Amino acid sequence: MDIGEIVGDAARYPSQDWKKILIFGVMILFSFLIIPAFIAMGYFLRALKASIAGSGELPEFEEWGEMIVDGIKVFIVQLVYFIVPAIIIFAGMWASIAAMQNFAADPSALTLGLGGTAIIGVILAIILGLIATIALANMAYYNSELGAAFRFSEILEKINQIGWTDYIIWYIVMIIIAVVIGVIASILGIIPILGWLILVLVMYPYTYLLYARALALLFISDGTSTVIPQESAPLE
């Protein structure tokens, strides 16, 4: 399955059940209450697991406790992978603020403060983002086993099996889709209340499920990870 087929399949995937899309959207809407946020992240992982296992249907909203636990695991993975780049970028921002005080004496100080440390943080975030994406899929493949998201040699081997070129193309396509969604979101934001509700209840959950499906199809695209869900890890 090439990238075009993956994106086409992923784009159709969420639209098969708009009721589930809306439930997912409600979880996102109330994510400020924390628990719904974990449920939303858990459902994302459940969709990823189901697609890796070969299912073409959206998973059910059931076993809510399991979804919360899975959501916490997704959060932990994201936190571990991105905490260091975030700290570096934050340090760069502070450096730029300090450099502003000396801007008159040394105009290059601001550029060096922001452009040095922060750029390093951004580059590191991009590199770790490539690894973290497959790490989530690997955790889903191993039936939510948290440790599977940190088996770096296994994750890098999986990327090699997929092919770095195909993976980077897929990654860029996902970024483009995110940018398009962002443009649409800015347009909907002009419409008071209704536009915001459409964005949160429909577009966001649709996009997350599209991404989950696309990631799953990419993960199994090398033909070595097609599995059937079981209780144990990995799913096989």
Side-chain angles (χ1 to χ4, degrees):
M1 181 177 288
D2 61 27
I3 303 301
E5 291 174 328
I6 288 175
V7 174
D9 184 296
R12 294 187 296 270
Y13 176 69
S15 61
Q16 60 185 279
D17 194 329
W18 290 102
K19 180 181 177 181
K20 291 175 183 175
I21 289 285
L22 289 174
I23 296 174
F24 192 12
V26 170
M27 296 300 105
I28 295 173
L29 178 63
F30 290 99
S31 60
F32 63 92
L33 296 175
I34 309 301
I35 295 300
F38 287 137
I39 293 174
M41 287 186 280
Y43 188 74
F44 168 86
L45 187 65
R46 180 170 291 183
L48 183 56
K49 289 165 63 175
S51 292
I52 289 176
S55 173
E57 299 180 357
L58 290 174
E60 298 294 332
F61 277 92
E62 57 187 10
E63 299 178 339
W64 296 80
E66 180 182 293
M67 274 198 294
I68 293 172
V69 173
D70 279 352
I72 293 173
K73 291 178 180 179
V74 171
F75 174 78
I76 290 173
V77 171
Q78 296 293 327
L79 179 65
V80 170
Y81 273 97
F82 293 108
I83 187 65
V84 172
I87 291 173
I88 294 174
I89 293 171
F90 184 74
M93 293 174 61
W94 272 107
S96 67
I97 293 173
M100 288 179 66
Q101 299 175 357
N102 301 318
F103 183 75
D106 184 5
S108 66
L110 177 61
T111 302
L112 291 174
L114 178 61
T117 308
I119 288 177
I120 291 173
V122 170
I123 293 174
L124 183 59
I126 293 172
I127 294 172
L128 290 178
L130 288 168
I131 299 173
T133 299
I134 299 301
L136 280 176
N138 204 49
M139 182 170 71
Y141 174 65
Y142 282 92
N143 203 14
S144 302
E145 182 188 336
L146 184 59
F150 303 104
R151 294 178 191 147
F152 300 110
S153 59
E154 185 175 317
I155 292 166
L156 291 174
E157 176 61 26
K158 186 62 184 181
I159 296 175
N160 286 332
Q161 291 172 352
I162 294 170
W164 280 96
T165 300
D166 286 342
Y167 181 35
I168 291 173
I169 291 173
W170 176 91
Y171 202 81
I172 293 172
V173 170
M174 291 299 106
I175 292 174
I176 292 173
I177 291 174
V179 170
V180 171
I181 296 299
V183 172
I184 297 173
S186 65
I187 296 173
L188 287 174
I190 300 174
I191 307 173
I193 302 178
L194 179 61
W196 182 75
L197 286 175
I198 293 174
L199 181 64
V200 175
L201 294 177
V202 179
M203 290 202 65
Y204 282 169
Y206 180 93
T207 304
Y208 288 139
L209 290 173
L210 182 156
Y211 177 71
R213 179 69 174 180
L215 177 55
L217 294 178
L218 177 75
F219 190 80
I220 63 176
S221 63
D222 64 333
T224 64
S225 303
T226 303
V227 292
I228 300 173
Q230 291 183 355
E231 293 297 326
S232 59
L235 301 173
E236 59 184 7

